[in-house]
Every structure is written in C-alpha cells, then in structure tokens.
Amino acid sequence: MSTISKPWDKDPVLTVEHLTMRFGGLVAVNDLSFSAGRGDITALIGPNGAGKTTVFNCITGFYKPTTGMMTMRHKDGATHLLERMPDFVVSKKAKVARTFQNIRLFSGMTLLENLLVAQHNPLMIASGMTFLGVLGIGGYKAKERQAIEKAKYWLDKIKLTDRADDPAGDLPYGAQRRLEIARAMCTGPALLCLDEPAAGLNPRESAELNELLLGIRRDEDTSILLIEHDMSVVMEISDHVVVLEYGTKISDGTPAETKNDPRVIAAYLGVDDEEVDKVEHELDEVQAHHTQGSGQ
Amino acid sequence: MEVFIQQVINGITIGSLYGLIAIGYTMVFGIIGMVNFAHGDVFMVSAFFALIFFLALTAWLGIASITITLLIVMVISMVLTGLLSWAIERIAYSPLRGSFRLAPLISAIGMSIVLSNFVQVAQGPRNKPIPPMVRETFTLWENNGYAVTISLKQVIIMAVTAVLLVAFWYMVQKTALGRAQRACEQDRKMAGLLGINVDRTISLTFVIGAALAAVAGTLYLMYYGVVHFADGFTPGVKAFTAAVLGGIGSLPGAVLGGLLIGLIETLWGQYVSADYQNVAAFSILVIVLIFMPQGLLGRPEVEKV
Amino acid sequence: MTSNTTKKAGPDLGKAFKDAILAGIIAFALLGPLIGLKTDQNMDNQLVLVNNMPVALIFVALVMVGRFLLAAFIYPAIAAKGAKSKAAVSLAELEAKAKRTKRLSLGGLVFLFVYPMLILALFGVQGSIKWVDNFGVQILIYVMLGWGLNIVIGLAGLLDLGYVAFYAVGAYSYALLAINFHLSFWVLLPLAGILASFWGMILGFPVLRLRGDYLAIVTLAFGEIIRLVLINWKDFSGGSAGISSIPKVSLFGLYSFDMGATNNFAKAFHLAASSAYYKVFLYYLILLLALLTAFVTTRLRKLPIGRAWEALREDEVACRSLGINTTNTKLTAFAIGAMFGGFAGSFFAARQGFVSPESFVFMESAVIVAIVVLGGMGSMIGVALAAVAMIGGTELLRELSFLKAVFGDDFNPDQFRMLLFGLAMVVIMVWKPRGFISARQPTAFLFEKKTISGDLVKEGHG
C-alpha cells in the first residue's frame, strides 16, 4: 500500500465521504469514501448488486443517503453539498448530469427537442419565465437559436446530425445511448455520471463511445464518473477505478493497480478464500521481487 | 356515550357495505393496475337486479319467507352482476389491455355513464322504494331514556359480510384461482409463460369483485329500502376511498378502509356537521393519498430510477 | 373471442352464429330483467313490475344481429385491413395526414367566422337562436374547455378529473363579483382567470407529487369537495338554488344587451328586438376566447415551459435529471389550464345568467376529459373535432323529435343523450385508443419538420 497521496485527491471535483445507504434492513452502500479528480474519467465498478447505481442515485439526488457527505467543488471554488439538494437542483446548481442504465430519452420528441429540453433552465430565463416569451418580447428567439447551435454541436459530436428531426424513439440502441450522453452534456455539467454507457453496444459502437468520452475529457470542462461492466472500456479510458462489492469499497487506484488487486479478482471471479490467500501470497512475492529489482 | 355507540353500530353497517364494494376496486387495481371506474355503477345495477327479483318473487310468485327471498335474490343478483361485469370487461377493457394507459380509464368512465343512463332509461328516473323487508330491532341497553339499538338488518349485513369475507379470504389464499390471481398481480407476462390463463384470471377477478358488489347492492336495498339510478357514484367513490385508505391491492386493507370510512362518516355526521358528511369522506381520500399513498396495509412504492 | 377467418377464404359463419347465440343468451340474462321487467309505481304508490318483455327481446335480437355481423364480417375486415396498414404507416402518409389536418383546421376557422352569418341568412333572426346558441356557443365552450384541459392532460400528461372545479370557480367569481360589486364582465374575465389559476395552484401543490391514477382520483375528490361546499355554504353561494340574474356581457360598455337599457344594441341600430343579437355576440366572444386559448397554447408549446411539459409527459425522472423543477412545471400546467377553465366559467355564467352547483358535477369533468382523450392527447384540432362530434352529436339528438312518430309520444330522445355519449366513449376508445389524431408535431427543427407517429409519443404517468 503506497502512502503517497493519489493524484485525484489533489483537486477533486467530487468527494464522497462515509456514504451509507440503507433500504430497511439492507445495506446497499456501506461507509463508502472516494474522490473523483477534476478532468479525470473515474470508473465505479463491481459485480452485480454491488450498489453502484445506488451510489449514483445518491450523488444525483434521487435517493437521500442514510448518512454521508458528498461535495462538488467547481473550478471557481464554489462547493455544493449534494446530500442536501433535491434531485433537480443537483443538476441545476451543482452541475451534475447523468444518464440511466435503462435509457430514458423523450422518445416521442425529436433529437433536437431532447437537446433543447436539456437547456431548459437558461432558456426559461431567456423567455422571461414564460411571461415575456408568450408576448413575444425579450429576445428569446436569439437565445433559442444559440441553444439550437449548441444542440447541433453535440449532434455533430455524436454523429447524429442528419437525424436531428427524427423522434428519439426511432433511433437504434447504440445511437440512443450516445444521444443520452449528448443530452446530459447540453446541461453544461461539471461532472457527468454515466450509468453503464457501454451496456448492449457492439464493439464498433463501444469504440465510438470511448472516442466520445475521451473527446469530452479533452475538449470540455467536464469530469466523468462512470459505472461499467465492460472491463475493456474501463481499462482503456479511465484514469481511476473504484471497486465496490456488497456496498463496500474493496479497491481504489489506477486501472493497472486494480486489475492486479487480488480482492478485485476474487470479487469478479468468485474464487474461494484459500485461493485469494494464495494469489495474494504470490503477488506479494512478485512485488517483493520488483522492489528488490528497483533497489538494485 | 350511548349516542356514540349507536353511531359506531351504524358506521360499521355502512362500512361493511363499503368494504364489500372496495374489494372489487382493490382486486382489479391489483391485477391490472386500473381504477375500474364503472364498479360503483355495477354496484348500483346489482341493487336494481335485487329490486326486480325481489318484486318478482314476492309479488308474482308469492314467496312469503323473507329469508328465502333474500337469499334467492342475493344469489340471482350475484350471478347476473358477475355476468354483467364479465361482459363489460370483454367489451370495454380487454381489447385495450396493453395499449395506451388512459384508454381503459376513459372506457371505464364511458361504461359508468352508460350503466347509470341505461338504468335511468330502462327503469325510469325516480327513486324506487320498497316496503321494508326486515323490521325487527333489538334494544341493547337503555340509559337516560336513550336506547342503543341494533336492527336485524344491521345484524344481517354484518354477519353476511363477515361470512363472505372469510370465504373469500380462503379462496384467495388457498385455491388455485387465488394463486393464479396473485401470480398475475406480480408479473402477468411470466404468469402467462408458466401456463396460467391470464385472460381468464382477469375476467374472474372482475366477476368476483362484481359478485361481492352485488351482495353489497342487495344488502343496500334491504337496508335503505330504496334505490336510484344515480346511487352508484357516491358509494363507488367512497368505496374507492376505502380501498385507497386500506392500501390499494390489499384485501384486508379494503375491508378495514371500508369500516373506517363508514365510522368516520357517521361520527362526522353526528358530531360535526351532517351537511358536510360527504366532504369529510372526500377530504379523507385527499389526505390519505397525499400523506400516506401506500395506505394503512399497503406496501410502500419505491421509485425506480 | 377473435375469429380466425383470415386463414379461410370466406367469413366463418358457423362460428359467428355460435357467437351470436351466446351473446343473445347473455343479453337476455341481463336485459331481460333490466328492460323486460320495468319497476313502476302503481296508484297506491307501491312499486310493481310492468311486463316490458317485447322491448327487451327487440334489444336482445339487436345484440345478436350486431354480434353476428361483427364476428362474421367486421372483425375479419378490420383484421385484414390492420395487417395491411400496420406495415405501411410511412412517414409520407403521416405527412399527408398532417397536411390534411392543417387544411381542415384552416377551413374550419373560416367556417367558424362566417357560421353565424350563414345561420342568420338561412334561418332568419329568430330562427338562428337555436343554431347559434345550442350548437355554436355550446360546442365552442367545450372546445375551449377541452383546449384548456389539453394543456394539463395532453401536454403535461397529468390526468385531472376535477377540471370542472376551475370552471366553477370562474363562474362563481363572475356571478358573485358582478352582483355584489357591479363590476363589468371585461374586468371580471381576467380576474376570474386569475382566481381560477390561483385555485389551481392551491389544489395542485399538494397533489402533484402523486402518480398515476391517484392524481386522477384526488383531483376528482377536489372537484367534488368544491361542488359540495358550493351546495352547503348557502350564505356564500346560494346553495343548490344557485345564483340567478347574473348581468349580461356588454359590448365593451358601449352597447348593452339588456332589453330595458337605454343603450340597447337593437334599439341603437333600429333593429327588431331579439335575443339573437346577444347570442351572435356571445358566439363571437367565446370564439375569440377559444382562439386565445389555442394561440397561447401553440405559443407555449414552443417555449421552454411547453417543451418541459411534453418532456414531463415522456419521462419525469429524466426531466429531473436535467435540472427541471418538475413540481413547478406541473403547477404551471395546472395553473394555466385552470385559468382557461376560469375564463370559460365566467363566460358560462354570463351566458346562462344563472349558476348552480348542478352545472359542475363530476360528469362535466368526465365529458371534458373524454373530449381531450378522444381527440388525441395534445392535438388541438383533434380536441376540437371531438368536441364537435360529442357535444354537437348529442345536441343533435334533441332535434330528433320526429322519432316520436315512430316510438310514440312517450319517447324522449333527450334522455338517450348521455347514454349514447357514454357508448361513444367506449366505442371510440376501443376503436382508436389514442384518439382521433395521435401524431405529434415537433416544436423545433433543424432541417425539416417531420410529423411524429403517435406510437412513439407517451401518455404520461398521471
């Protein structure tokens, strides 16, 4: 165990401290603490039922955690305590956007409309809280044109511009996933939470998704927190991996570190304790060997 | 004190009727998630069936024994009302299963309009009074000149309700039909895959609910001695309130809710204001739904994200 | 109970016959007592049964014939057509339909403006009253109510079964304020709207976090509570007797339609005294009010609030994840819908000159909801069509007095009005569960506006 402070602890965009969520007798998340670095792609992984989505629902305000503190730090130094906010304020003020495990698009609305709904709050102000907009005064038209431009920018990014005027429900599955990400990005988030974005994608779509996420990290002021099962996605694009099992954190480190963490391997492969001991022992030996090697 | 007990007796009587109707709401809501808006009017039609066959038996066939008459009338009304409810389900609801969610509700509202107006046209718009079937009243005790009484009618209502509930409870818990019903409540598709005839189970649910409403309709006619084509709406809404108060989907809840609504209504009428009796019932509905939407015995609903 | 005739060449008459017999038996069991044994009071005020069996048998026969035709010919035809059209609902067809709808609405608008002139020309001044008032004004009131409720149900997807409460608030506001404070209609119209939307917010606030059918039932209960309070709070509302001699609307204060007034409209223009002028004036007034509703709704749809309403109908959880305050959004829908209900209510009070709780029963709410759903949720023109079909259709029944010649003098077609209304609701829902016009027009586009098939549009959770 290294004692050096991790890079994501230096300037975290989100810190979760002692988060616990109970449903009746069931402890879904147990005393979880981790931080997500600014500009990083942080992955939250773990076997089915590990409590990953519950963590997301707590962060985005859909669940009130039993105990714990979740802090968003914006670039300008403003901090927001997420556990005190109702869900829509988390998105509006704390600038946390999210997608859903089972896609939640506005299927009867066009792609463009989906992206315009995401810009609701600034557009509401532009329409004078509707009053001026109904009367047709106050320059709402120009603001709406800007919003459409922004939507077009994201449609270009997800390569769906030519389908802008089709209903979202008509899109193929992979495109719906991308549209949901674009819609979340249209809210201008500081943190984007993606719930299994690669689920159900074919290899080509999966590669496109990686490209999109890396593009967001490169071009936007948005950090990403994602839940993922697909290890190739996690290993390829994430900077930091947090592993959950039965609601408890069992590992926290770089992708390479977690990949070799015996507890992670055990959790994923379901080996018995004896074998874990064996693997741990072997790893210790390897590590000892390495340190010796570097010492020379 | 005597007044209070008297009102409690009256309240339990009315509450039993509400409970019987409420079961129909709660079962249908449990199995297909629909508020069967026409159920109140089905109850009203059942009272008319009872009325017609009561007149036919007494006046035409000259059956003198009130017990036998009541029994026959109740059975006929149960059969015919069950048949009516079956037909309504086949015509107005089952073609809409799985489609647009509002469609069955609108269809049910349409059916409710059809039933009440059909009875108005076929049987006339006036009140339909009959001579009292059962007259006996027992005095339980007297104090300061105020006698607490319970009429035979009330005893019959409470007894019939209790017996039917036990039988019904047994059916839902112990028989194959009850199991099929509970399976359909949990997951209709899966139940179908496991070989349960889902359509028939749903139809039977409607029939059973209607048969219980018919018992309530017959007892209502016996208790009040009068029925009117518009009598379905208010008892219907109150019974629905009872179902919600008890926790919709829960059968004991429906009965408990019915008794509570009956009690609250009569006590409110006695001690607060007779004018605002119905306002009280509706207010309870609103308050319960807002502050305790899962009801007294229902399971809380967790929002899935 | 669907017949498998698609496989065979001709209709399966044997099966249809069996179905018809079964339907006949059921119909006899139900209609035999209900129609065949009519309860009636005799001279001694005792209830007796009157044998009416022949009529019952006629209806049983009708059921059998109907069932036979359905099973033998109509279902197979629908099945065959359905198989063909399901596959072929293309974008082009949707567009063609949308264009037709647009032409229809333009034509309809022109017709609405010339309608009173046409009626005056055809039936003369006195003869026009019935057509302008019973048909024109009556239908337009429901068009306006339907459009108002369409905001709540059709756009925001919130099932409100107590809309008539806001109609009542508008009507009583006008009635009470006009009588007690002698304010003019033109002052009270906006005031009634504001009061109604205020009530919309008060009632809406606690109930809007409810989901699904619960919202429907609570709004129903609120509607009933308001009506019961109006009945019982006699000092305030006059109780069941209601409020009468409510002042008429004036022509912006310039001309009055009161017969005795010095600036009476007919006198001023040297016309024969008739109430027809007032009716024509009311017609144009409600037409403009309805068009105002339509205009504002169209405007709102293209604003963020309107998009948020529709998004709310599609997926509330997603809306919250995008930072939309769903409570406020729902409240706005409720309040704006209520406001138009209030406008319509004050117009109603001024037109009738009399209001009583009797006009605001649950059935009125049900009728308005039915109009919105039958028309196709969210579609303005669909709602208008449904109002014309349902209200106009049932009004027409009043005109069928010639049927008395067929069925005898006791026959009163008016009493079949609501019965047929209910039947129409059931039939239309089974036939077209999504209403007359279910396709949706997008509110913004990048390249071209494409009509969205109703199959993709969700109906909301409440």
Side-chain angles (χ1 to χ4, degrees), chain C residues 36-49:
Chain C
L37 302 173
K38 189 172 188 308
T39 51
D40 236 332
Q41 267 166 338
N42 66 7
M43 291 304 181
D44 308 327
N45 265 339
Q46 268 177 333
L47 213 56
V48 291
L49 288 177

PDB file of all heavy atoms in Angstrom, chain C residues 36-49:
ATOM      1  N   GLY C  36     -86.940  -5.760 -19.533  1.00  0.00           N
ATOM      2  CA  GLY C  36     -88.197  -6.503 -19.633  1.00  0.00           C
ATOM      3  C   GLY C  36     -89.082  -6.390 -18.404  1.00  0.00           C
ATOM      4  O   GLY C  36     -90.301  -6.494 -18.510  1.00  0.00           O
ATOM      5  N   LEU C  37     -88.490  -6.205 -17.241  1.00  0.00           N
ATOM      6  CA  LEU C  37     -89.290  -6.076 -16.030  1.00  0.00           C
ATOM      7  C   LEU C  37     -89.101  -4.667 -15.482  1.00  0.00           C
ATOM      8  O   LEU C  37     -88.205  -4.413 -14.685  1.00  0.00           O
ATOM      9  CB  LEU C  37     -88.854  -7.120 -14.996  1.00  0.00           C
ATOM     10  CG  LEU C  37     -88.934  -8.577 -15.446  1.00  0.00           C
ATOM     11  CD1 LEU C  37     -88.313  -9.489 -14.400  1.00  0.00           C
ATOM     12  CD2 LEU C  37     -90.367  -8.984 -15.709  1.00  0.00           C
ATOM     13  N   LYS C  38     -89.954  -3.776 -15.905  1.00  0.00           N
ATOM     14  CA  LYS C  38     -89.785  -2.386 -15.507  1.00  0.00           C
ATOM     15  C   LYS C  38     -90.477  -2.155 -14.169  1.00  0.00           C
ATOM     16  O   LYS C  38     -91.625  -2.580 -13.975  1.00  0.00           O
ATOM     17  CB  LYS C  38     -90.388  -1.469 -16.570  1.00  0.00           C
ATOM     18  CG  LYS C  38     -90.080  -0.010 -16.366  1.00  0.00           C
ATOM     19  CD  LYS C  38     -90.568   0.781 -17.579  1.00  0.00           C
ATOM     20  CE  LYS C  38     -90.137   2.222 -17.582  1.00  0.00           C
ATOM     21  NZ  LYS C  38     -90.427   2.968 -16.386  1.00  0.00           N
ATOM     22  N   THR C  39     -89.772  -1.522 -13.245  1.00  0.00           N
ATOM     23  CA  THR C  39     -90.393  -1.217 -11.959  1.00  0.00           C
ATOM     24  C   THR C  39     -91.131   0.102 -12.090  1.00  0.00           C
ATOM     25  O   THR C  39     -90.603   1.076 -12.626  1.00  0.00           O
ATOM     26  CB  THR C  39     -89.321  -1.082 -10.869  1.00  0.00           C
ATOM     27  OG1 THR C  39     -88.332  -0.179 -11.332  1.00  0.00           O
ATOM     28  CG2 THR C  39     -88.675  -2.409 -10.567  1.00  0.00           C
ATOM     29  N   ASP C  40     -92.360   0.117 -11.601  1.00  0.00           N
ATOM     30  CA  ASP C  40     -93.156   1.329 -11.711  1.00  0.00           C
ATOM     31  C   ASP C  40     -94.046   1.453 -10.483  1.00  0.00           C
ATOM     32  O   ASP C  40     -94.378   0.454  -9.865  1.00  0.00           O
ATOM     33  CB  ASP C  40     -94.034   1.266 -12.977  1.00  0.00           C
ATOM     34  CG  ASP C  40     -93.779   2.474 -13.848  1.00  0.00           C
ATOM     35  OD1 ASP C  40     -93.401   3.520 -13.283  1.00  0.00           O
ATOM     36  OD2 ASP C  40     -93.948   2.358 -15.074  1.00  0.00           O
ATOM     37  N   GLN C  41     -94.422   2.669 -10.169  1.00  0.00           N
ATOM     38  CA  GLN C  41     -95.293   2.845  -9.020  1.00  0.00           C
ATOM     39  C   GLN C  41     -96.754   2.804  -9.484  1.00  0.00           C
ATOM     40  O   GLN C  41     -97.096   3.454 -10.476  1.00  0.00           O
ATOM     41  CB  GLN C  41     -94.978   4.158  -8.320  1.00  0.00           C
ATOM     42  CG  GLN C  41     -93.970   3.933  -7.207  1.00  0.00           C
ATOM     43  CD  GLN C  41     -93.357   5.198  -6.701  1.00  0.00           C
ATOM     44  OE1 GLN C  41     -93.358   6.200  -7.392  1.00  0.00           O
ATOM     45  NE2 GLN C  41     -92.844   5.157  -5.504  1.00  0.00           N
ATOM     46  N   ASN C  42     -97.568   2.039  -8.762  1.00  0.00           N
ATOM     47  CA  ASN C  42     -98.974   1.990  -9.149  1.00  0.00           C
ATOM     48  C   ASN C  42     -99.753   3.070  -8.409  1.00  0.00           C
ATOM     49  O   ASN C  42     -99.176   3.948  -7.764  1.00  0.00           O
ATOM     50  CB  ASN C  42     -99.538   0.585  -8.905  1.00  0.00           C
ATOM     51  CG  ASN C  42     -99.563   0.253  -7.419  1.00  0.00           C
ATOM     52  OD1 ASN C  42     -99.283   1.118  -6.582  1.00  0.00           O
ATOM     53  ND2 ASN C  42     -99.876  -0.985  -7.097  1.00  0.00           N
ATOM     54  N   MET C  43    -101.078   2.984  -8.489  1.00  0.00           N
ATOM     55  CA  MET C  43    -101.932   4.022  -7.897  1.00  0.00           C
ATOM     56  C   MET C  43    -101.681   4.197  -6.397  1.00  0.00           C
ATOM     57  O   MET C  43    -101.746   5.290  -5.881  1.00  0.00           O
ATOM     58  CB  MET C  43    -103.399   3.640  -8.114  1.00  0.00           C
ATOM     59  CG  MET C  43    -103.830   3.724  -9.566  1.00  0.00           C
ATOM     60  SD  MET C  43    -103.513   5.345 -10.219  1.00  0.00           S
ATOM     61  CE  MET C  43    -104.119   5.154 -11.877  1.00  0.00           C
ATOM     62  N   ASP C  44    -101.396   3.074  -5.717  1.00  0.00           N
ATOM     63  CA  ASP C  44    -101.187   3.152  -4.277  1.00  0.00           C
ATOM     64  C   ASP C  44     -99.742   3.493  -3.931  1.00  0.00           C
ATOM     65  O   ASP C  44     -99.310   3.258  -2.794  1.00  0.00           O
ATOM     66  CB  ASP C  44    -101.530   1.802  -3.618  1.00  0.00           C
ATOM     67  CG  ASP C  44    -102.904   1.334  -4.025  1.00  0.00           C
ATOM     68  OD1 ASP C  44    -103.751   2.226  -4.233  1.00  0.00           O
ATOM     69  OD2 ASP C  44    -103.100   0.109  -4.174  1.00  0.00           O
ATOM     70  N   ASN C  45     -99.016   3.987  -4.898  1.00  0.00           N
ATOM     71  CA  ASN C  45     -97.606   4.325  -4.668  1.00  0.00           C
ATOM     72  C   ASN C  45     -96.775   3.119  -4.294  1.00  0.00           C
ATOM     73  O   ASN C  45     -95.780   3.236  -3.596  1.00  0.00           O
ATOM     74  CB  ASN C  45     -97.474   5.383  -3.572  1.00  0.00           C
ATOM     75  CG  ASN C  45     -97.387   6.750  -4.193  1.00  0.00           C
ATOM     76  OD1 ASN C  45     -97.048   6.872  -5.374  1.00  0.00           O
ATOM     77  ND2 ASN C  45     -97.701   7.773  -3.425  1.00  0.00           N
ATOM     78  N   GLN C  46     -97.233   1.946  -4.698  1.00  0.00           N
ATOM     79  CA  GLN C  46     -96.428   0.762  -4.453  1.00  0.00           C
ATOM     80  C   GLN C  46     -95.651   0.430  -5.710  1.00  0.00           C
ATOM     81  O   GLN C  46     -96.145   0.627  -6.824  1.00  0.00           O
ATOM     82  CB  GLN C  46     -97.324  -0.419  -4.090  1.00  0.00           C
ATOM     83  CG  GLN C  46     -97.535  -0.538  -2.605  1.00  0.00           C
ATOM     84  CD  GLN C  46     -98.484  -1.674  -2.299  1.00  0.00           C
ATOM     85  OE1 GLN C  46     -99.324  -2.028  -3.126  1.00  0.00           O
ATOM     86  NE2 GLN C  46     -98.323  -2.240  -1.124  1.00  0.00           N
ATOM     87  N   LEU C  47     -94.461  -0.088  -5.507  1.00  0.00           N
ATOM     88  CA  LEU C  47     -93.641  -0.451  -6.650  1.00  0.00           C
ATOM     89  C   LEU C  47     -94.117  -1.794  -7.200  1.00  0.00           C
ATOM     90  O   LEU C  47     -94.225  -2.762  -6.453  1.00  0.00           O
ATOM     91  CB  LEU C  47     -92.181  -0.542  -6.209  1.00  0.00           C
ATOM     92  CG  LEU C  47     -91.152  -0.137  -7.256  1.00  0.00           C
ATOM     93  CD1 LEU C  47     -91.428   1.260  -7.750  1.00  0.00           C
ATOM     94  CD2 LEU C  47     -89.767  -0.212  -6.653  1.00  0.00           C
ATOM     95  N   VAL C  48     -94.426  -1.825  -8.472  1.00  0.00           N
ATOM     96  CA  VAL C  48     -94.815  -3.098  -9.090  1.00  0.00           C
ATOM     97  C   VAL C  48     -94.009  -3.294 -10.356  1.00  0.00           C
ATOM     98  O   VAL C  48     -93.429  -2.351 -10.892  1.00  0.00           O
ATOM     99  CB  VAL C  48     -96.317  -3.127  -9.443  1.00  0.00           C
ATOM    100  CG1 VAL C  48     -97.158  -3.161  -8.196  1.00  0.00           C
ATOM    101  CG2 VAL C  48     -96.664  -1.947 -10.329  1.00  0.00           C
ATOM    102  N   LEU C  49     -93.981  -4.521 -10.823  1.00  0.00           N
ATOM    103  CA  LEU C  49     -93.273  -4.811 -12.064  1.00  0.00           C
ATOM    104  C   LEU C  49     -94.237  -4.683 -13.236  1.00  0.00           C
ATOM    105  O   LEU C  49     -95.368  -5.153 -13.173  1.00  0.00           O
ATOM    106  CB  LEU C  49     -92.688  -6.214 -12.028  1.00  0.00           C
ATOM    107  CG  LEU C  49     -91.493  -6.409 -11.112  1.00  0.00           C
ATOM    108  CD1 LEU C  49     -91.064  -7.857 -11.121  1.00  0.00           C
ATOM    109  CD2 LEU C  49     -90.336  -5.516 -11.535  1.00  0.00           C
TER     110      LEU C  49
END
